[in-house]
Each structure stands twice: as C-alpha cells, then as structure tokens.
PDB file of all heavy atoms in Angstrom:
ATOM      1  N   ALA A  69     -10.189 -11.465   1.056  1.00  0.00           N
ATOM      2  CA  ALA A  69     -10.525 -12.558   0.143  1.00  0.00           C
ATOM      3  C   ALA A  69     -11.948 -13.069   0.344  1.00  0.00           C
ATOM      4  O   ALA A  69     -12.456 -13.821  -0.506  1.00  0.00           O
ATOM      5  CB  ALA A  69      -9.528 -13.702   0.293  1.00  0.00           C
ATOM      6  N   ARG A  70     -12.594 -12.674   1.417  1.00  0.00           N
ATOM      7  CA  ARG A  70     -14.011 -13.011   1.590  1.00  0.00           C
ATOM      8  C   ARG A  70     -14.869 -12.312   0.536  1.00  0.00           C
ATOM      9  O   ARG A  70     -15.996 -12.732   0.262  1.00  0.00           O
ATOM     10  CB  ARG A  70     -14.494 -12.603   2.983  1.00  0.00           C
ATOM     11  CG  ARG A  70     -13.851 -13.345   4.142  1.00  0.00           C
ATOM     12  CD  ARG A  70     -14.447 -12.878   5.455  1.00  0.00           C
ATOM     13  NE  ARG A  70     -15.836 -13.257   5.554  1.00  0.00           N
ATOM     14  CZ  ARG A  70     -16.274 -14.340   6.192  1.00  0.00           C
ATOM     15  NH1 ARG A  70     -15.424 -15.148   6.802  1.00  0.00           N
ATOM     16  NH2 ARG A  70     -17.560 -14.611   6.245  1.00  0.00           N
ATOM     17  N   HIS A  71     -14.346 -11.211  -0.004  1.00  0.00           N
ATOM     18  CA  HIS A  71     -15.073 -10.375  -0.977  1.00  0.00           C
ATOM     19  C   HIS A  71     -14.225 -10.354  -2.253  1.00  0.00           C
ATOM     20  O   HIS A  71     -13.331  -9.535  -2.396  1.00  0.00           O
ATOM     21  CB  HIS A  71     -15.243  -8.975  -0.396  1.00  0.00           C
ATOM     22  CG  HIS A  71     -16.128  -8.067  -1.171  1.00  0.00           C
ATOM     23  ND1 HIS A  71     -16.328  -8.159  -2.525  1.00  0.00           N
ATOM     24  CD2 HIS A  71     -16.874  -7.004  -0.762  1.00  0.00           C
ATOM     25  CE1 HIS A  71     -17.132  -7.209  -2.928  1.00  0.00           C
ATOM     26  NE2 HIS A  71     -17.485  -6.489  -1.864  1.00  0.00           N
ATOM     27  N   GLN A  72     -14.498 -11.261  -3.166  1.00  0.00           N
ATOM     28  CA  GLN A  72     -13.628 -11.495  -4.313  1.00  0.00           C
ATOM     29  C   GLN A  72     -13.369 -10.234  -5.133  1.00  0.00           C
ATOM     30  O   GLN A  72     -12.234  -9.924  -5.477  1.00  0.00           O
ATOM     31  CB  GLN A  72     -14.238 -12.581  -5.202  1.00  0.00           C
ATOM     32  CG  GLN A  72     -13.380 -12.983  -6.402  1.00  0.00           C
ATOM     33  CD  GLN A  72     -12.165 -13.802  -5.998  1.00  0.00           C
ATOM     34  OE1 GLN A  72     -12.127 -14.357  -4.896  1.00  0.00           O
ATOM     35  NE2 GLN A  72     -11.179 -13.855  -6.862  1.00  0.00           N
ATOM     36  N   HIS A  73     -14.425  -9.496  -5.466  1.00  0.00           N
ATOM     37  CA  HIS A  73     -14.250  -8.312  -6.310  1.00  0.00           C
ATOM     38  C   HIS A  73     -13.430  -7.238  -5.595  1.00  0.00           C
ATOM     39  O   HIS A  73     -12.579  -6.575  -6.198  1.00  0.00           O
ATOM     40  CB  HIS A  73     -15.605  -7.757  -6.740  1.00  0.00           C
ATOM     41  CG  HIS A  73     -16.396  -8.695  -7.579  1.00  0.00           C
ATOM     42  ND1 HIS A  73     -15.922  -9.229  -8.767  1.00  0.00           N
ATOM     43  CD2 HIS A  73     -17.640  -9.221  -7.406  1.00  0.00           C
ATOM     44  CE1 HIS A  73     -16.823 -10.026  -9.293  1.00  0.00           C
ATOM     45  NE2 HIS A  73     -17.867 -10.053  -8.479  1.00  0.00           N
ATOM     46  N   LEU A  74     -13.690  -7.069  -4.302  1.00  0.00           N
ATOM     47  CA  LEU A  74     -12.917  -6.105  -3.520  1.00  0.00           C
ATOM     48  C   LEU A  74     -11.457  -6.521  -3.477  1.00  0.00           C
ATOM     49  O   LEU A  74     -10.551  -5.693  -3.668  1.00  0.00           O
ATOM     50  CB  LEU A  74     -13.479  -6.010  -2.106  1.00  0.00           C
ATOM     51  CG  LEU A  74     -12.710  -5.112  -1.133  1.00  0.00           C
ATOM     52  CD1 LEU A  74     -12.777  -3.663  -1.560  1.00  0.00           C
ATOM     53  CD2 LEU A  74     -13.250  -5.281   0.289  1.00  0.00           C
ATOM     54  N   ALA A  75     -11.197  -7.787  -3.219  1.00  0.00           N
ATOM     55  CA  ALA A  75      -9.816  -8.269  -3.121  1.00  0.00           C
ATOM     56  C   ALA A  75      -9.062  -8.042  -4.425  1.00  0.00           C
ATOM     57  O   ALA A  75      -7.885  -7.637  -4.421  1.00  0.00           O
ATOM     58  CB  ALA A  75      -9.805  -9.754  -2.755  1.00  0.00           C
ATOM     59  N   GLU A  76      -9.706  -8.288  -5.542  1.00  0.00           N
ATOM     60  CA  GLU A  76      -9.061  -8.083  -6.842  1.00  0.00           C
ATOM     61  C   GLU A  76      -8.686  -6.612  -7.028  1.00  0.00           C
ATOM     62  O   GLU A  76      -7.581  -6.279  -7.466  1.00  0.00           O
ATOM     63  CB  GLU A  76      -9.985  -8.529  -7.969  1.00  0.00           C
ATOM     64  CG  GLU A  76     -10.257 -10.024  -8.013  1.00  0.00           C
ATOM     65  CD  GLU A  76      -9.124 -10.810  -8.648  1.00  0.00           C
ATOM     66  OE1 GLU A  76      -8.144 -10.201  -9.087  1.00  0.00           O
ATOM     67  OE2 GLU A  76      -9.236 -12.052  -8.696  1.00  0.00           O
ATOM     68  N   ALA A  77      -9.605  -5.725  -6.681  1.00  0.00           N
ATOM     69  CA  ALA A  77      -9.347  -4.300  -6.837  1.00  0.00           C
ATOM     70  C   ALA A  77      -8.240  -3.824  -5.895  1.00  0.00           C
ATOM     71  O   ALA A  77      -7.334  -3.071  -6.293  1.00  0.00           O
ATOM     72  CB  ALA A  77     -10.633  -3.512  -6.576  1.00  0.00           C
ATOM     73  N   LEU A  78      -8.299  -4.272  -4.642  1.00  0.00           N
ATOM     74  CA  LEU A  78      -7.293  -3.871  -3.670  1.00  0.00           C
ATOM     75  C   LEU A  78      -5.912  -4.388  -4.036  1.00  0.00           C
ATOM     76  O   LEU A  78      -4.906  -3.716  -3.786  1.00  0.00           O
ATOM     77  CB  LEU A  78      -7.683  -4.378  -2.280  1.00  0.00           C
ATOM     78  CG  LEU A  78      -8.914  -3.745  -1.640  1.00  0.00           C
ATOM     79  CD1 LEU A  78      -9.240  -4.441  -0.330  1.00  0.00           C
ATOM     80  CD2 LEU A  78      -8.712  -2.255  -1.417  1.00  0.00           C
ATOM     81  N   HIS A  79      -5.861  -5.570  -4.609  1.00  0.00           N
ATOM     82  CA  HIS A  79      -4.566  -6.135  -4.974  1.00  0.00           C
ATOM     83  C   HIS A  79      -3.845  -5.250  -5.981  1.00  0.00           C
ATOM     84  O   HIS A  79      -2.641  -4.996  -5.852  1.00  0.00           O
ATOM     85  CB  HIS A  79      -4.741  -7.545  -5.538  1.00  0.00           C
ATOM     86  CG  HIS A  79      -3.478  -8.135  -6.073  1.00  0.00           C
ATOM     87  ND1 HIS A  79      -2.340  -8.278  -5.310  1.00  0.00           N
ATOM     88  CD2 HIS A  79      -3.165  -8.599  -7.318  1.00  0.00           C
ATOM     89  CE1 HIS A  79      -1.377  -8.811  -6.050  1.00  0.00           C
ATOM     90  NE2 HIS A  79      -1.848  -9.003  -7.260  1.00  0.00           N
ATOM     91  N   GLY A  80      -4.561  -4.776  -6.973  1.00  0.00           N
ATOM     92  CA  GLY A  80      -3.925  -3.922  -7.973  1.00  0.00           C
ATOM     93  C   GLY A  80      -3.365  -2.649  -7.377  1.00  0.00           C
ATOM     94  O   GLY A  80      -2.217  -2.281  -7.641  1.00  0.00           O
ATOM     95  N   TRP A  81      -4.155  -1.977  -6.553  1.00  0.00           N
ATOM     96  CA  TRP A  81      -3.697  -0.720  -5.958  1.00  0.00           C
ATOM     97  C   TRP A  81      -2.606  -0.962  -4.918  1.00  0.00           C
ATOM     98  O   TRP A  81      -1.589  -0.262  -4.893  1.00  0.00           O
ATOM     99  CB  TRP A  81      -4.869   0.019  -5.342  1.00  0.00           C
ATOM    100  CG  TRP A  81      -4.484   1.346  -4.764  1.00  0.00           C
ATOM    101  CD1 TRP A  81      -4.570   1.726  -3.472  1.00  0.00           C
ATOM    102  CD2 TRP A  81      -3.939   2.467  -5.465  1.00  0.00           C
ATOM    103  NE1 TRP A  81      -4.108   3.011  -3.299  1.00  0.00           N
ATOM    104  CE2 TRP A  81      -3.718   3.489  -4.514  1.00  0.00           C
ATOM    105  CE3 TRP A  81      -3.610   2.698  -6.803  1.00  0.00           C
ATOM    106  CZ2 TRP A  81      -3.176   4.734  -4.869  1.00  0.00           C
ATOM    107  CZ3 TRP A  81      -3.073   3.935  -7.147  1.00  0.00           C
ATOM    108  CH2 TRP A  81      -2.865   4.930  -6.185  1.00  0.00           C
ATOM    109  N   GLY A  82      -2.810  -1.958  -4.064  1.00  0.00           N
ATOM    110  CA  GLY A  82      -1.814  -2.248  -3.034  1.00  0.00           C
ATOM    111  C   GLY A  82      -0.481  -2.663  -3.623  1.00  0.00           C
ATOM    112  O   GLY A  82       0.582  -2.315  -3.089  1.00  0.00           O
ATOM    113  N   SER A  83      -0.522  -3.397  -4.728  1.00  0.00           N
ATOM    114  CA  SER A  83       0.721  -3.809  -5.390  1.00  0.00           C
ATOM    115  C   SER A  83       1.509  -2.600  -5.873  1.00  0.00           C
ATOM    116  O   SER A  83       2.741  -2.567  -5.774  1.00  0.00           O
ATOM    117  CB  SER A  83       0.413  -4.735  -6.563  1.00  0.00           C
ATOM    118  OG  SER A  83      -0.158  -5.941  -6.124  1.00  0.00           O
ATOM    119  N   TYR A  84       0.807  -1.603  -6.377  1.00  0.00           N
ATOM    120  CA  TYR A  84       1.490  -0.380  -6.795  1.00  0.00           C
ATOM    121  C   TYR A  84       2.125   0.331  -5.608  1.00  0.00           C
ATOM    122  O   TYR A  84       3.289   0.756  -5.659  1.00  0.00           O
ATOM    123  CB  TYR A  84       0.513   0.567  -7.496  1.00  0.00           C
ATOM    124  CG  TYR A  84       1.106   1.935  -7.723  1.00  0.00           C
ATOM    125  CD1 TYR A  84       2.087   2.145  -8.691  1.00  0.00           C
ATOM    126  CD2 TYR A  84       0.721   3.026  -6.930  1.00  0.00           C
ATOM    127  CE1 TYR A  84       2.661   3.389  -8.871  1.00  0.00           C
ATOM    128  CE2 TYR A  84       1.290   4.273  -7.107  1.00  0.00           C
ATOM    129  CZ  TYR A  84       2.256   4.450  -8.077  1.00  0.00           C
ATOM    130  OH  TYR A  84       2.837   5.688  -8.243  1.00  0.00           O
ATOM    131  N   GLN A  85       1.377   0.457  -4.517  1.00  0.00           N
ATOM    132  CA  GLN A  85       1.868   1.201  -3.362  1.00  0.00           C
ATOM    133  C   GLN A  85       3.131   0.591  -2.758  1.00  0.00           C
ATOM    134  O   GLN A  85       3.948   1.314  -2.175  1.00  0.00           O
ATOM    135  CB  GLN A  85       0.779   1.264  -2.276  1.00  0.00           C
ATOM    136  CG  GLN A  85      -0.476   2.023  -2.680  1.00  0.00           C
ATOM    137  CD  GLN A  85      -0.305   3.524  -2.578  1.00  0.00           C
ATOM    138  OE1 GLN A  85       0.785   4.061  -2.702  1.00  0.00           O
ATOM    139  NE2 GLN A  85      -1.396   4.228  -2.340  1.00  0.00           N
ATOM    140  N   LEU A  86       3.299  -0.713  -2.881  1.00  0.00           N
ATOM    141  CA  LEU A  86       4.470  -1.374  -2.294  1.00  0.00           C
ATOM    142  C   LEU A  86       5.512  -1.754  -3.341  1.00  0.00           C
ATOM    143  O   LEU A  86       6.435  -2.500  -3.043  1.00  0.00           O
ATOM    144  CB  LEU A  86       4.028  -2.629  -1.525  1.00  0.00           C
ATOM    145  CG  LEU A  86       3.104  -2.390  -0.333  1.00  0.00           C
ATOM    146  CD1 LEU A  86       2.764  -3.712   0.351  1.00  0.00           C
ATOM    147  CD2 LEU A  86       3.727  -1.420   0.669  1.00  0.00           C
ATOM    148  N   SER A  87       5.394  -1.203  -4.540  1.00  0.00           N
ATOM    149  CA  SER A  87       6.303  -1.579  -5.619  1.00  0.00           C
ATOM    150  C   SER A  87       7.328  -0.479  -5.881  1.00  0.00           C
ATOM    151  O   SER A  87       7.228   0.641  -5.358  1.00  0.00           O
ATOM    152  CB  SER A  87       5.521  -1.852  -6.901  1.00  0.00           C
ATOM    153  OG  SER A  87       5.080  -0.632  -7.486  1.00  0.00           O
ATOM    154  N   ARG A  88       8.274  -0.789  -6.753  1.00  0.00           N
ATOM    155  CA  ARG A  88       9.265   0.204  -7.157  1.00  0.00           C
ATOM    156  C   ARG A  88       8.693   1.231  -8.120  1.00  0.00           C
ATOM    157  O   ARG A  88       9.353   2.219  -8.445  1.00  0.00           O
ATOM    158  CB  ARG A  88      10.466  -0.507  -7.793  1.00  0.00           C
ATOM    159  CG  ARG A  88      11.246  -1.359  -6.803  1.00  0.00           C
ATOM    160  CD  ARG A  88      12.444  -2.017  -7.450  1.00  0.00           C
ATOM    161  NE  ARG A  88      13.173  -2.829  -6.490  1.00  0.00           N
ATOM    162  CZ  ARG A  88      14.260  -3.539  -6.795  1.00  0.00           C
ATOM    163  NH1 ARG A  88      14.719  -3.551  -8.041  1.00  0.00           N
ATOM    164  NH2 ARG A  88      14.860  -4.261  -5.860  1.00  0.00           N
ATOM    165  N   ARG A  89       7.461   1.004  -8.581  1.00  0.00           N
ATOM    166  CA  ARG A  89       6.815   1.989  -9.441  1.00  0.00           C
ATOM    167  C   ARG A  89       6.406   3.229  -8.649  1.00  0.00           C
ATOM    168  O   ARG A  89       6.244   4.311  -9.221  1.00  0.00           O
ATOM    169  CB  ARG A  89       5.583   1.371 -10.109  1.00  0.00           C
ATOM    170  CG  ARG A  89       5.896   0.284 -11.126  1.00  0.00           C
ATOM    171  CD  ARG A  89       4.613  -0.374 -11.608  1.00  0.00           C
ATOM    172  NE  ARG A  89       3.985  -1.146 -10.544  1.00  0.00           N
ATOM    173  CZ  ARG A  89       2.696  -1.475 -10.524  1.00  0.00           C
ATOM    174  NH1 ARG A  89       1.886  -1.079 -11.487  1.00  0.00           N
ATOM    175  NH2 ARG A  89       2.216  -2.197  -9.518  1.00  0.00           N
ATOM    176  N   LEU A  90       6.204   3.069  -7.338  1.00  0.00           N
ATOM    177  CA  LEU A  90       5.871   4.207  -6.491  1.00  0.00           C
ATOM    178  C   LEU A  90       7.004   5.222  -6.557  1.00  0.00           C
ATOM    179  O   LEU A  90       8.184   4.862  -6.506  1.00  0.00           O
ATOM    180  CB  LEU A  90       5.671   3.731  -5.052  1.00  0.00           C
ATOM    181  CG  LEU A  90       5.138   4.770  -4.064  1.00  0.00           C
ATOM    182  CD1 LEU A  90       3.648   5.011  -4.283  1.00  0.00           C
ATOM    183  CD2 LEU A  90       5.386   4.312  -2.627  1.00  0.00           C
ATOM    184  N   GLY A  91       6.668   6.491  -6.657  1.00  0.00           N
ATOM    185  CA  GLY A  91       7.691   7.519  -6.766  1.00  0.00           C
ATOM    186  C   GLY A  91       8.520   7.717  -5.511  1.00  0.00           C
ATOM    187  O   GLY A  91       9.612   8.277  -5.564  1.00  0.00           O
ATOM    188  N   LEU A  92       8.010   7.288  -4.380  1.00  0.00           N
ATOM    189  CA  LEU A  92       8.723   7.386  -3.107  1.00  0.00           C
ATOM    190  C   LEU A  92       9.543   6.131  -2.875  1.00  0.00           C
ATOM    191  O   LEU A  92       9.088   5.022  -3.158  1.00  0.00           O
ATOM    192  CB  LEU A  92       7.734   7.568  -1.960  1.00  0.00           C
ATOM    193  CG  LEU A  92       6.829   8.801  -2.032  1.00  0.00           C
ATOM    194  CD1 LEU A  92       5.758   8.734  -0.948  1.00  0.00           C
ATOM    195  CD2 LEU A  92       7.640  10.078  -1.905  1.00  0.00           C
ATOM    196  N   GLY A  93      10.744   6.304  -2.336  1.00  0.00           N
ATOM    197  CA  GLY A  93      11.585   5.162  -2.022  1.00  0.00           C
ATOM    198  C   GLY A  93      11.087   4.412  -0.797  1.00  0.00           C
ATOM    199  O   GLY A  93      10.150   4.844  -0.108  1.00  0.00           O
ATOM    200  N   LEU A  94      11.731   3.294  -0.504  1.00  0.00           N
ATOM    201  CA  LEU A  94      11.312   2.431   0.601  1.00  0.00           C
ATOM    202  C   LEU A  94      11.274   3.186   1.927  1.00  0.00           C
ATOM    203  O   LEU A  94      10.299   3.077   2.689  1.00  0.00           O
ATOM    204  CB  LEU A  94      12.254   1.230   0.700  1.00  0.00           C
ATOM    205  CG  LEU A  94      12.049   0.286   1.889  1.00  0.00           C
ATOM    206  CD1 LEU A  94      10.685  -0.385   1.812  1.00  0.00           C
ATOM    207  CD2 LEU A  94      13.152  -0.768   1.936  1.00  0.00           C
ATOM    208  N   ARG A  95      12.300   3.953   2.224  1.00  0.00           N
ATOM    209  CA  ARG A  95      12.328   4.662   3.508  1.00  0.00           C
ATOM    210  C   ARG A  95      11.200   5.698   3.580  1.00  0.00           C
ATOM    211  O   ARG A  95      10.478   5.769   4.589  1.00  0.00           O
ATOM    212  CB  ARG A  95      13.686   5.338   3.705  1.00  0.00           C
ATOM    213  CG  ARG A  95      13.797   6.068   5.052  1.00  0.00           C
ATOM    214  CD  ARG A  95      15.160   6.726   5.215  1.00  0.00           C
ATOM    215  NE  ARG A  95      15.238   7.493   6.445  1.00  0.00           N
ATOM    216  CZ  ARG A  95      15.559   6.988   7.633  1.00  0.00           C
ATOM    217  NH1 ARG A  95      15.820   5.697   7.752  1.00  0.00           N
ATOM    218  NH2 ARG A  95      15.616   7.767   8.702  1.00  0.00           N
ATOM    219  N   ASP A  96      11.052   6.499   2.529  1.00  0.00           N
ATOM    220  CA  ASP A  96       9.968   7.479   2.496  1.00  0.00           C
ATOM    221  C   ASP A  96       8.626   6.793   2.721  1.00  0.00           C
ATOM    222  O   ASP A  96       7.797   7.233   3.530  1.00  0.00           O
ATOM    223  CB  ASP A  96       9.921   8.189   1.140  1.00  0.00           C
ATOM    224  CG  ASP A  96      11.127   9.053   0.856  1.00  0.00           C
ATOM    225  OD1 ASP A  96      11.891   9.367   1.791  1.00  0.00           O
ATOM    226  OD2 ASP A  96      11.303   9.424  -0.326  1.00  0.00           O
ATOM    227  N   ARG A  97       8.407   5.738   1.980  1.00  0.00           N
ATOM    228  CA  ARG A  97       7.143   5.007   2.044  1.00  0.00           C
ATOM    229  C   ARG A  97       6.853   4.507   3.448  1.00  0.00           C
ATOM    230  O   ARG A  97       5.747   4.672   3.974  1.00  0.00           O
ATOM    231  CB  ARG A  97       7.207   3.823   1.073  1.00  0.00           C
ATOM    232  CG  ARG A  97       5.950   2.998   0.970  1.00  0.00           C
ATOM    233  CD  ARG A  97       6.242   1.709   0.231  1.00  0.00           C
ATOM    234  NE  ARG A  97       6.783   0.684   1.127  1.00  0.00           N
ATOM    235  CZ  ARG A  97       7.338  -0.448   0.712  1.00  0.00           C
ATOM    236  NH1 ARG A  97       7.486  -0.680  -0.592  1.00  0.00           N
ATOM    237  NH2 ARG A  97       7.770  -1.343   1.588  1.00  0.00           N
ATOM    238  N   GLU A  98       7.858   3.907   4.078  1.00  0.00           N
ATOM    239  CA  GLU A  98       7.622   3.310   5.391  1.00  0.00           C
ATOM    240  C   GLU A  98       7.433   4.359   6.476  1.00  0.00           C
ATOM    241  O   GLU A  98       6.685   4.137   7.422  1.00  0.00           O
ATOM    242  CB  GLU A  98       8.754   2.344   5.738  1.00  0.00           C
ATOM    243  CG  GLU A  98       8.745   1.091   4.891  1.00  0.00           C
ATOM    244  CD  GLU A  98       7.417   0.356   4.950  1.00  0.00           C
ATOM    245  OE1 GLU A  98       6.952   0.049   6.073  1.00  0.00           O
ATOM    246  OE2 GLU A  98       6.844   0.077   3.877  1.00  0.00           O
ATOM    247  N   ILE A  99       8.086   5.500   6.356  1.00  0.00           N
ATOM    248  CA  ILE A  99       7.842   6.579   7.317  1.00  0.00           C
ATOM    249  C   ILE A  99       6.377   7.003   7.257  1.00  0.00           C
ATOM    250  O   ILE A  99       5.711   7.144   8.292  1.00  0.00           O
ATOM    251  CB  ILE A  99       8.783   7.771   7.047  1.00  0.00           C
ATOM    252  CG1 ILE A  99      10.212   7.429   7.494  1.00  0.00           C
ATOM    253  CG2 ILE A  99       8.288   9.032   7.758  1.00  0.00           C
ATOM    254  CD1 ILE A  99      11.244   8.480   7.134  1.00  0.00           C
ATOM    255  N   VAL A 100       5.856   7.181   6.056  1.00  0.00           N
ATOM    256  CA  VAL A 100       4.458   7.591   5.907  1.00  0.00           C
ATOM    257  C   VAL A 100       3.510   6.506   6.419  1.00  0.00           C
ATOM    258  O   VAL A 100       2.550   6.791   7.147  1.00  0.00           O
ATOM    259  CB  VAL A 100       4.156   7.932   4.439  1.00  0.00           C
ATOM    260  CG1 VAL A 100       2.658   8.186   4.231  1.00  0.00           C
ATOM    261  CG2 VAL A 100       4.957   9.146   3.990  1.00  0.00           C
ATOM    262  N   ILE A 101       3.767   5.255   6.058  1.00  0.00           N
ATOM    263  CA  ILE A 101       2.887   4.168   6.473  1.00  0.00           C
ATOM    264  C   ILE A 101       2.921   3.974   7.987  1.00  0.00           C
ATOM    265  O   ILE A 101       1.867   3.890   8.644  1.00  0.00           O
ATOM    266  CB  ILE A 101       3.275   2.863   5.760  1.00  0.00           C
ATOM    267  CG1 ILE A 101       2.973   2.964   4.258  1.00  0.00           C
ATOM    268  CG2 ILE A 101       2.540   1.664   6.374  1.00  0.00           C
ATOM    269  CD1 ILE A 101       3.484   1.783   3.445  1.00  0.00           C
ATOM    270  N   ASP A 102       4.114   3.904   8.557  1.00  0.00           N
ATOM    271  CA  ASP A 102       4.223   3.665  10.000  1.00  0.00           C
ATOM    272  C   ASP A 102       3.568   4.791  10.794  1.00  0.00           C
ATOM    273  O   ASP A 102       2.871   4.547  11.784  1.00  0.00           O
ATOM    274  CB  ASP A 102       5.689   3.535  10.417  1.00  0.00           C
ATOM    275  CG  ASP A 102       6.369   2.326   9.813  1.00  0.00           C
ATOM    276  OD1 ASP A 102       5.661   1.425   9.315  1.00  0.00           O
ATOM    277  OD2 ASP A 102       7.616   2.283   9.828  1.00  0.00           O
ATOM    278  N   ARG A 103       3.799   6.032  10.356  1.00  0.00           N
ATOM    279  CA  ARG A 103       3.214   7.174  11.060  1.00  0.00           C
ATOM    280  C   ARG A 103       1.690   7.157  10.950  1.00  0.00           C
ATOM    281  O   ARG A 103       0.979   7.376  11.931  1.00  0.00           O
ATOM    282  CB  ARG A 103       3.773   8.469  10.488  1.00  0.00           C
ATOM    283  CG  ARG A 103       3.292   9.725  11.199  1.00  0.00           C
ATOM    284  CD  ARG A 103       3.727   9.745  12.646  1.00  0.00           C
ATOM    285  NE  ARG A 103       3.654  11.084  13.212  1.00  0.00           N
ATOM    286  CZ  ARG A 103       4.132  11.405  14.395  1.00  0.00           C
ATOM    287  NH1 ARG A 103       4.697  10.470  15.141  1.00  0.00           N
ATOM    288  NH2 ARG A 103       4.036  12.634  14.855  1.00  0.00           N
ATOM    289  N   THR A 104       1.192   6.892   9.758  1.00  0.00           N
ATOM    290  CA  THR A 104      -0.258   6.864   9.556  1.00  0.00           C
ATOM    291  C   THR A 104      -0.904   5.794  10.426  1.00  0.00           C
ATOM    292  O   THR A 104      -1.910   6.050  11.110  1.00  0.00           O
ATOM    293  CB  THR A 104      -0.585   6.611   8.077  1.00  0.00           C
ATOM    294  OG1 THR A 104      -0.056   7.680   7.283  1.00  0.00           O
ATOM    295  CG2 THR A 104      -2.086   6.515   7.848  1.00  0.00           C
ATOM    296  N   CYS A 105      -0.338   4.601  10.412  1.00  0.00           N
ATOM    297  CA  CYS A 105      -0.914   3.511  11.208  1.00  0.00           C
ATOM    298  C   CYS A 105      -0.852   3.820  12.698  1.00  0.00           C
ATOM    299  O   CYS A 105      -1.794   3.507  13.445  1.00  0.00           O
ATOM    300  CB  CYS A 105      -0.202   2.198  10.897  1.00  0.00           C
ATOM    301  SG  CYS A 105      -0.476   1.600   9.213  1.00  0.00           S
ATOM    302  N   ALA A 106       0.240   4.437  13.153  1.00  0.00           N
ATOM    303  CA  ALA A 106       0.346   4.803  14.563  1.00  0.00           C
ATOM    304  C   ALA A 106      -0.688   5.853  14.934  1.00  0.00           C
ATOM    305  O   ALA A 106      -1.350   5.754  15.973  1.00  0.00           O
ATOM    306  CB  ALA A 106       1.748   5.297  14.879  1.00  0.00           C
ATOM    307  N   LEU A 107      -0.847   6.877  14.095  1.00  0.00           N
ATOM    308  CA  LEU A 107      -1.827   7.922  14.379  1.00  0.00           C
ATOM    309  C   LEU A 107      -3.244   7.358  14.436  1.00  0.00           C
ATOM    310  O   LEU A 107      -4.082   7.823  15.203  1.00  0.00           O
ATOM    311  CB  LEU A 107      -1.751   9.020  13.313  1.00  0.00           C
ATOM    312  CG  LEU A 107      -0.518   9.927  13.352  1.00  0.00           C
ATOM    313  CD1 LEU A 107      -0.468  10.792  12.100  1.00  0.00           C
ATOM    314  CD2 LEU A 107      -0.516  10.797  14.595  1.00  0.00           C
ATOM    315  N   CYS A 108      -3.501   6.347  13.600  1.00  0.00           N
ATOM    316  CA  CYS A 108      -4.822   5.710  13.584  1.00  0.00           C
ATOM    317  C   CYS A 108      -4.982   4.660  14.682  1.00  0.00           C
ATOM    318  O   CYS A 108      -6.060   4.077  14.834  1.00  0.00           O
ATOM    319  CB  CYS A 108      -5.071   5.052  12.228  1.00  0.00           C
ATOM    320  SG  CYS A 108      -5.285   6.219  10.865  1.00  0.00           S
TER     321      CYS A 108
END
C-alpha cells in the first residue's frame, strides 16, 4: 500500500489466485504455495 499503483495491480491478480475462479482447488493451491514459499 506504500505504492498505490502497484497495490491496485497486485490486488487484482492476487484476488484471482486465491479465488474460486482459479482452476486449481484449495488443496492443490495450498500445496503449490506452501512448497514454493518453503523452497524460497
């Protein structure tokens, strides 16, 4: 939110990634996210 234009853009994409519009279900999504964050 320190960077208004960035925050607006990220909100749109992030909302999709965590929504039911994503083709992957909740479990699939969280396996990918948790693994990625751990690897990083």
Side-chain angles (χ1 to χ4, degrees):
R70 295 182 67 97
H71 189 332
Q72 183 73 18
H73 297 303
L74 176 66
E76 293 281 358
L78 292 175
H79 174 57
W81 183 242
S83 295
Y84 170 73
Q85 296 280 28
L86 297 181
S87 75
R88 293 182 180 179
R89 292 173 292 158
L90 188 75
L92 301 171
L94 174 64
R95 182 180 176 85
D96 294 344
R97 183 192 84 192
E98 290 305 306
I99 287 174
V100 173
I101 292 173
D102 295 344
R103 183 62 162 189
T104 298
C105 293
L107 288 170
C108 291

